[in-house]
Amino acid sequence: MVGIIIAIIATLVIAVPVSVYIANTRSKKAMEITIGNAEDKAREIIDEAIKAADAKKREASLEVKEETIKARHDFEKETKERRAELQKYEQRVLSKEETVEKKATTLERKEQSLASKEKNIETEKAQLQELQAKHLQELERISGLTSDQAKEQLLSAVKEDVKHETAMYVKEMETRAKEDARKKAKEYVVTAIQKCAVDHVAETTISLVQLPNDEMKGRIIGREGRNIRSIENATGVELIIDDTPEAVVLSSFNPVRREIARIALEKLIVDGRIHPARIEEMVEKATKEVETMMREEGEAATLELGVHGIHPELVRLLGRMKFRTSYGQNALKHSMEVAQLSGLLAAEIGVDVRMAKRAGLLHDIGKSIDHEVEGSHVELGVNLCKKYKENPIVINAVASHHGDEEPESLIACLVQAADAISAARPGARSETLESYTTRLKQLEEIADSFQGVDKTFAIQAGREIRVMVVPEQISDDDMILLARDISNQIEENLDYPGQIKVNVIRESRVVDYAK
C-alpha cells in the first residue's frame, strides 16, 4: 500500500507542472484539448503505478513466504540435532548408572567378605591370646621365673650391652676427635705462640719511692703529720714510712691512685717544698699526667697492633689497664698478647685478622672500671662496647670469652683460645697460696662426690687429678663415663687457666695368706 501511494503522489507531482506549462503556452482551446490528454495520461500513469505496486506487493509477499519456509526448515534441523545430542547424553547417563550399580554390588560383596574375614581374625586372635597365655605359663613353670622377673633380667642384660656399646662408641669418637683436633690445634697454637713474643710486668699492690736521704721522711710527715695526712687525703693512698732506709712505701689496691701518688711524691721530693697547698697542686698535676699517660698508652697499643677506629674513651680505658693486674699479670700487656695471638690464629684458619685483633684487645676492657663499678668485668666490658657502638662480633667475643654466653663466631672462639693461652703460659700468672689451695681442695671434692670413688689426688699444681675407684662398683666401661662426668663437673664449677687432666684408675687386688 505504501508503494502505491508513493507512485500516485509521484505521478501527480509530474502531471501538475506539465499541465501548467501547456496551459501557459497554448491558447484556451488548445489548453482544453491538452488538459484532456493530460488527464488521460495521468490515468494511464496511475494505472501503471497501481499495477507496479501490486507486482511489488506480490514479490514482497513471496520473499516473506520463502524466508518463513527457510527459517522453519532451519529450526526443524536444529531441533533434530538437539534431540540427537540429548539422546547421546541419555545413553551415557544410562551406561554410567549401570556401571555405578555394578560397582555398588561389587562393594557390597567385598564388605560382606571383609566382615566375615574380620570375624575369623577376631576368633583367631582370641585363640592366639589363649595359646600365648598357656605358652607363658608353661615358660614360667619351666624357668621358675615370672614374666616381670624375666623382663627385668632381659632389661638388665640389654642395659649392660647398651652401656658397653655407648662407652666404646664414646671412647672411639673421643679418641678420633682428639687425634684430629690435637694435630690441627697444636699446629695452629704452636705457630701462633712462636710468632708472638710479649714481655709481662708483674704489678703488686704497693709502690716504692726512693728518697735522697732519711731526712726527707721527716719533711714528708710534716709538723704533727699534716703533710702525710694531706697526701693520703688527696690521693686515697696509704703512705708507709718505716725503718726501710731512704724509701717510702705507697699501698693501695687502686693502681691508678697509687701511680698518681707516686708521681706526685716524686715531684714533691724534687721540688723540695712540701706543704699542703703544694701537695694539692702536685697531685692535680700528677692526675693530669696520668690521664695523658693512659691515653698515650692506649694509642700506642692500638698503633702497635694496627687496630684503628676505636672510640677515644675506649682507648683511654685501654691505657688505664696498664695500671691493672690480674693474678700478677699486667692487664694491658695481657690484652695486647691476646690480640696478637687472636690475629695469628685468625691468619692460620683464614678469618678476619683485624677483627680478631680488635676483639682480643677489647676482651678485658671491663677490668679498667671494675674497681669503681659493680659487676663482673665481662658485663662491664659488654656494656662499654655497646655504649661506644662496637661491632657485634666484638661484643659477643667479650661476652663469651669466659663462657658466660655461647660464642656466635669463629673469632669469639679464637679469643677464648688466645685468652687461655696467655693465662696458662708458665710464668704469665702468679696465684696466691690461698686461692691455689682452695682450687686443689675443690678439685678433690668434686671427684669425691661421685659414687664408686675411693681416693682422689690433685697433682701437677692442679693441672691433673687422679681418681682411684672401687673395682667392685666401677667397671671398665663405667670408667670412661665417670671420667667424662668429672670433667664436665669441673668445667661447670671451677675457673682455672689452661686445662685439667682427669685420670681415672681402677685396680683389682686379691690377698691371700699361706699358713
Side-chain angles (χ1 to χ4, degrees):
M1 293 300 289
V2 176
I4 295 170
I5 294 169
I6 293 170
I8 294 170
I9 292 171
T11 305
L12 291 174
V13 170
I14 295 170
V16 171
V18 171
S19 299
V20 173
Y21 175 76
I22 295 170
N24 290 331
T25 56
R26 295 183 181 180
S27 61
K28 287 183 178 180
K29 187 175 180 179
M31 187 182 295
E32 291 176 356
I33 295 170
T34 305
I35 289 171
N37 294 332
E39 289 177 353
D40 294 335
K41 287 248 184 197
R43 289 191 190 99
E44 291 176 0
I45 293 171
I46 291 169
D47 291 338
E48 291 177 358
I50 291 171
K51 290 178 181 179
D54 290 339
K56 291 285 185 182
K57 183 178 179 182
R58 284 193 296 272
E59 290 177 0
S61 177
L62 289 172
E63 289 178 357
V64 170
K65 286 180 181 179
E66 289 177 358
E67 290 178 357
T68 303
I69 293 169
K70 185 178 179 182
R72 185 179 298 168
H73 178 72
D74 293 340
F75 176 74
E76 290 176 355
K77 185 179 179 181
E78 186 177 354
T79 303
K80 288 180 181 179
E81 291 176 354
R82 294 274 181 90
R83 285 177 182 173
E85 291 179 359
L86 289 174
Q87 288 177 357
K88 290 180 181 179
Y89 289 145
E90 287 178 358
Q91 290 176 358
R92 290 179 184 175
V93 170
L94 290 173
S95 63
K96 286 183 178 179
E97 287 180 353
E98 291 177 358
T99 305
V100 170
E101 288 178 357
K102 289 180 181 179
K103 289 183 177 178
T105 304
T106 305
L107 287 174
E108 289 177 359
R109 291 175 183 173
K110 288 183 178 179
E111 287 179 357
Q112 293 175 358
S113 176
L114 288 173
S116 63
K117 288 181 179 179
E118 187 175 356
K119 289 180 181 179
N120 295 333
I121 289 172
E122 290 293 334
T123 304
E124 292 177 358
K125 187 185 292 185
Q127 294 175 357
L128 182 62
Q129 289 177 351
E130 291 178 2
L131 290 174
Q132 285 179 345
K134 291 180 181 180
H135 183 64
L136 183 61
Q137 290 176 359
E138 186 68 17
L139 286 175
E140 289 178 355
R141 185 185 65 78
I142 294 172
S143 63
L145 297 173
T146 64
S147 60
D148 292 337
Q149 290 174 345
K151 286 180 182 177
E152 186 176 352
Q153 287 188 0
L154 180 61
L155 288 174
S156 178
V158 171
K159 186 177 180 181
E160 289 297 325
D161 291 341
V162 169
K163 182 186 291 186
H164 175 73
E165 291 179 2
T166 303
M168 295 304 296
Y169 180 74
V170 169
K171 184 176 181 181
E172 181 183 355
M173 294 303 294
E174 284 186 349
T175 303
R176 187 181 303 171
K178 285 179 180 178
E179 288 177 357
D180 295 339
R182 189 180 294 115
K183 292 178 182 178
K184 291 293 182 182
K186 186 181 293 185
E187 183 179 336
Y188 295 156
V189 172
V190 169
T191 303
I193 292 175
Q194 287 176 346
K195 293 180 179 179
C196 179
V198 182
D199 57 339
H200 288 266
V201 180
E203 302 286 347
T204 61
T205 59
I206 62 172
S207 296
L208 191 66
V209 178
Q210 297 292 335
L211 302 178
N213 51 59
D214 285 338
E215 294 179 0
M216 187 60 69
K217 291 183 179 179
R219 299 177 62 183
I220 292 174
I221 296 172
R223 185 179 301 174
E224 298 177 356
R226 64 175 186 174
N227 289 344
I228 193 172
R229 285 197 301 272
S230 297
I231 295 173
E232 291 179 346
N233 292 336
T235 60
V237 175
E238 181 183 2
L239 268 70
I240 302 174
I241 300 177
D242 52 15
D243 296 335
T244 305
E246 299 180 355
V248 174
V249 177
L250 307 178
S251 177
S252 174
F253 286 101
N254 190 319
V256 177
R257 290 181 181 176
R258 195 169 66 246
E259 183 67 13
I260 292 173
R262 184 188 67 79
I263 294 174
L265 188 58
E266 287 179 353
K267 288 181 178 293
L268 287 170
I269 292 170
V270 172
D271 185 65
R273 296 173 293 174
I274 305 176
H275 53 82
R278 189 65 176 170
I279 289 170
E280 292 180 2
E281 181 182 350
M282 290 300 179
V283 169
E284 185 176 355
K285 288 182 178 180
T287 302
K288 293 180 180 178
E289 187 175 334
V290 170
E291 286 290 331
T292 303
M293 187 187 304
M294 288 190 297
R295 192 172 299 279
E296 290 175 353
E297 288 291 336
E299 291 173 353
T302 58
L303 185 62
E304 180 179 345
L305 295 171
V307 179
H308 306 292
I310 298 179
H311 193 278
E313 184 61 22
L314 289 179
V315 174
R316 187 184 71 85
L317 293 176
L318 277 174
R320 187 171 184 173
M321 289 171 63
K322 179 184 178 181
F323 306 104
R324 171 73 161 83
T325 58
S326 177
Y327 298 99
Q329 189 176 19
N330 184 278
L332 179 58
K333 297 293 184 181
H334 166 67
S335 296
M336 293 176 66
E337 182 175 359
V338 171
Q340 291 279 21
L341 289 169
S342 299
L344 293 170
L345 291 172
E348 290 292 330
I349 64 175
V351 296
D352 191 346
V353 175
R354 292 185 179 180
M355 186 62 67
K357 285 186 176 182
R358 191 184 192 96
L361 183 61
L362 296 176
H363 81 285
D364 272 346
I365 192 66
K367 289 184 178 180
S368 61
I369 59 172
D370 61 353
H371 284 307
E372 303 171 358
V373 183
E374 291 184 1
S376 67
H377 77 278
V378 175
E379 296 174 355
L380 298 175
V382 170
N383 294 334
L384 285 172
C385 290
K386 288 181 178 178
K387 179 179 179 181
Y388 297 110
K389 296 179 175 54
E390 273 296 326
N391 191 291
I393 295 176
V394 176
I395 295 174
N396 176 251
V398 175
S400 63
H401 78 278
H402 280 317
D404 297 307
E405 292 184 10
E406 290 296 325
E408 298 175 356
S409 64
L410 278 175
I411 289 178
C413 298
L414 294 180
V415 172
Q416 278 186 344
D419 185 43
I421 292 170
S422 176
R425 186 175 59 79
R429 289 188 170 188
S430 59
E431 293 182 288
T432 62
L433 179 62
E434 182 179 358
S435 63
Y436 172 73
T437 55
T438 301
R439 182 159 63 83
L440 298 187
K441 185 178 180 181
Q442 288 176 343
L443 271 176
E444 294 180 353
E445 288 176 352
I446 288 173
D448 288 333
S449 64
F450 287 87
Q451 186 177 2
V453 175
D454 184 20
K455 296 177 182 179
T456 304
F457 305 100
I459 60 175
Q460 297 292 331
R463 298 189 183 278
E464 180 180 351
I465 180 169
R466 292 185 180 178
V467 183
M468 311 292 293
V469 299
V470 180
E472 291 79 9
Q473 298 181 10
I474 303 295
S475 65
D476 289 339
D477 294 333
D478 293 332
M479 289 172 58
I480 299 173
L481 302 178
L482 178 62
R484 187 176 185 83
D485 292 340
I486 293 174
S487 300
N488 293 335
Q489 195 73 13
I490 292 172
E491 290 175 358
E492 291 176 2
N493 296 332
L494 290 184
D495 293 330
Y496 52 89
Q499 62 182 9
I500 296 176
K501 180 181 179 181
V502 178
N503 194 357
V504 180
I505 301 173
R506 180 175 181 267
E507 181 181 15
S508 298
R509 292 187 181 184
V510 178
V511 180
D512 198 0
Y513 296 94
K515 298 179 182 178

